[in-house]
Amino acid sequence: MPEVRSPILELQGITKSFGGVEALRGVDFALHPGEIHGLVGENGAGKSTLMKIIAGVHTEFSGRFLIDGKETHFRSARDAHAAGIAMVHQELSVAPDLTVAENVFLGNQPTNALGLVQWRRMAREAGEQLARFGIDVDPMSRLGDLPIGLQQLIEIARVLFSGARIVILDEPTSALSPPEVERLFATLRRLREEGTSIVFISHFIEDILRVSDTVTVFRNGRKVAETASAATSKGALIEAMIGRGGEALEHSYTDDLLLPQPSDSAVVLKVDQLTLARSLKDISFEARAGEVLGIYGFMGCGQQELSRILFGKLKPDSGALLVEGQPKTFASTAAARRAGVALVPESRRDMLFHQEPVYKNISISILDRISSLLLKPAQERDIAKRQVEQLQIRPPVVGLDLGMLSGGNQQKVALAKWLTYPPKLLVLCEPTRGMDVGAKNDVINIVRDLRAKGLAIIVLSTEPETVLSLADRILVLKRGALVREFRNEPVSKDRLLEAA
Amino acid sequence: MTSSETALAAGQRARGLAPFLRSQMRNIAPFLTLIFLSGFFAFASPSFATLDNLGNILTQVSVTGIIAVGLTFVILCAEIDLSIASIANVTGIAVAYFTLQESYVNIANIPLPGAVAILLSILLCALLGLVNALGLTVIGIPSFIMTLAMMQIAAGISALLVRGQIAYKVPSLITTLGSGSIGGIPWLVIIAALMLLGGHLVLTYTRFGRYVYMVGGNREAAEYSGLNVKLILGAVMVISAVCSGIGGMLGVAHFGSAQQNEFDTYLLDSIAAVVVGGTSLFGGRGGIGNTIVGLFVLGVLNNGLDHVNIDSFLKILIRGLILLAALVINVYAQRLREKAAD
């Protein structure tokens, strides 16, 4: 074990705040040569912020930053790169229209004396590198034609073989199939033998425990535990992640919550063996009137795709949707809307018109209900005013441009569009993400009201609290498959995380 | 100003005059340009600022105006139609093709009653617009490329119909509307004004008009709001083609002849009118009001340059520079607005 050697990277007392909110509070972190260091913590616990400081993305912070025992301060990601630090970000950052070889050599293609790219050499070397990683693809094929998991592996391979001494992997396994994860781990272990230090961030605690030497746990911007992987367990890590005791302002859902008796009201939506390429495998479930169905899973588990299929924005490869018993294949989102399905996506930007006034944002989905040919602006404003009042949207001025509202209020507008003529099925993606406690409670109350009115509601979230605070029944989605259903039984954050 | 802009203005005024003016830059700048150009030419040439010449300008911009009505819909949706001039041309040729020509015109045409000829010609341009629409929405070809192909296709149909010849006769209704006048006002100007008014009413007061603005403002959000985005995009492509076709038929009557390539300059002029007027190339902002201002800027510029003593070859360059300036303002105004909205 590498403990005897001095750390290659050492951070002391790192504090970082964004606009007065502390994202990191006095964090110490050390990384040794030839060590795989796992990082776990909830969304917003500070893992990614710390890694971005190491990778030179965030340059403003307080605390000491040492590389090879020497104090350093990066001014840019380029400085970090020069110091041998490379990071694979959670979102894919490849050039899909270039060849595999070009992607592997992105930014430093081999050239001859004239400055021309040496294609044959590039293809050969790229092929060799990928082969070391167990990837057998034609280096001259277009990257975008390959499956997403393979693209991600190639991006990881590019960074791993870039010669960096410190490699940071942020959530690398979420889009990978089990054999691909094996290949990645084998490569990580080999690089460890060669002396590379690796930081591995993941929500998949099993993955962390299998591959890392050391695990550090973050909670609310603090490092709360650091332990050898061999000396801990999934349960212990989850407990450290979410913490015991009431230090949080909100209900923390650490204790068991009893889910109610399953409803036997009418089935509004039936999903039968839905499958979509690498995203969803054989998904079947029902949503009932007057019931909130929660679907929980990690980022990239297929929630986004599932919600898009329900609203006619994506077409599944196979499987059926039945709305009130009628089989439906939505040709467009307009068809889904007419069938009584409504969606609020996780990104407000995708749902709202920032340069248009609030009332037009609220009326857009129901214009065909209030006017056949000519617009009725007075009626639109009345409807909007009613919604603004009911949802307590601030400021209560329906003529104001939407872009001038705060994020939480924008989220309420996104909901308000669907409420004047309530749909049969309301699909909510991350309905409370980024909201303060007050706004969150408002949304929770709105959803409960809608349930009381008999809507079938599906809440998809990567935050256990969101699902626990809203759902009557909970499905857990893991790598595109439904792995667990909680109904009429005790459930808690631990149990959800354990299942996912 | 459309009602959406007044509502917007009310919201912004609350935050002070400077941000309000910044957000309205796209409406103010073209208007200032128009006043400046008119003032300049009035000062430079005594024959410019006369009632007669105003009539000239109006007549000169009418065909462009008719075509620009449809193009405004397309650009508001953040798409483009490069086939407008070709479709105008082929429709003008078609209406002549279906009319009995003098014996010296050597075209193997099909004479039909006037009403039928007009109807068939409108059907033809609507059909070409429908092909644009299907290419854009069903197949997913970007409008820039789709309409570039249509530009060639329409030119090809024109060539096959006239085979290098010139036709002169069009149905009498078209002749009257294209070259006649009532009470001293050319019918052509009246038609252009009515079509611009109609376009404005549709965009401002109908549900479809709202959809056009919303699809142009944020296509993703329009789709997530359950609008049939493809249907709306398809509709604007057909509207654009039909407006072009009407412009083409009246243009042929106005010029007194139907021949190949006679509308070529109208492509650039129509796009310039819409964009110079301040309608955003990124969609969702602007409208027929802007297009009217743009038409006048272009009309005053073209007409005024004829009134001052200037190298005629230099005029082309000057027009190009004015267009460039308008594009700079268009992009800059968009950026200012985005900043104001943040």
Side-chain angles (χ1 to χ4, degrees), chain A residues 276-407:
Chain A
L276 176 73
R278 289 173 64 98
S279 306
L280 295 170
K281 289 170 219 122
D282 209 15
I283 303 275
S284 300
F285 64 88
E286 289 172 351
R288 289 170 185 272
E291 181 195 55
V292 180
L293 175 65
I295 298 183
Y296 170 75
F298 298 140
M299 197 106 51
C301 69
Q303 283 180 348
Q304 214 173 14
E305 290 80 3
L306 177 60
S307 67
R308 301 313 190 260
I309 290 173
L310 295 180
F311 195 53
K313 188 123 182 356
L314 267 183
K315 281 182 193 31
D317 296 336
S318 64
L321 292 183
L322 290 89
V323 178
E324 292 185 329
Q326 301 290 316
K328 299 275 181 191
T329 47
F330 297 133
S332 66
T333 58
R337 176 170 66 88
R338 277 193 298 270
V341 180
L343 169 71
V344 179
E346 58 289 316
S347 158
R348 290 186 290 266
R349 197 160 277 280
D350 288 346
M351 171 84 185
L352 297 169
F353 303 87
H354 288 247
Q355 301 191 359
E356 299 286 354
V358 170
Y359 81 91
K360 288 191 189 178
N361 273 284
I362 291 179
S363 66
I364 182 70
S365 300
I366 52 164
L367 276 181
D368 51 356
R369 306 282 284 263
I370 55 180
S371 77
S372 53
L373 176 69
L374 295 182
L375 292 170
K376 294 175 182 151
Q379 204 178 333
E380 278 179 58
R381 282 168 175 272
D382 283 348
I383 285 173
K385 272 182 198 146
R386 230 173 301 143
Q387 294 297 344
V388 163
E389 222 165 88
Q390 258 173 26
L391 304 191
Q392 299 177 357
I393 292 167
R394 295 282 171 271
V397 185
V398 295
L400 204 63
D401 271 8
L402 181 96
M404 291 174 201
L405 268 54
S406 70

Side-chain angles (χ1 to χ4, degrees), chain B residues 18-52:
Chain B
F20 168 69
L21 286 179
R22 256 207 304 275
S23 72
Q24 291 299 306
M25 169 122 158
R26 78 166 57 259
N27 296 321
I28 296 166
F31 208 69
L32 290 181
T33 312
L34 177 60
I35 291 172
F36 169 77
L37 284 177
S38 306
F40 172 76
F41 287 122
F43 177 76
S45 156
S47 58
F48 176 78
T50 62
L51 212 56
D52 268 0

Side-chain angles (χ1 to χ4, degrees), chain B residues 99-109 165-169:
Chain B
T99 307
L100 183 65
Q101 299 292 326
E102 304 289 353
S103 55
Y104 57 83
V105 175
N106 189 16
I107 298 176
N109 66 339
Q165 302 293 310
I166 301 174
Y168 300 95
K169 281 271 193 190

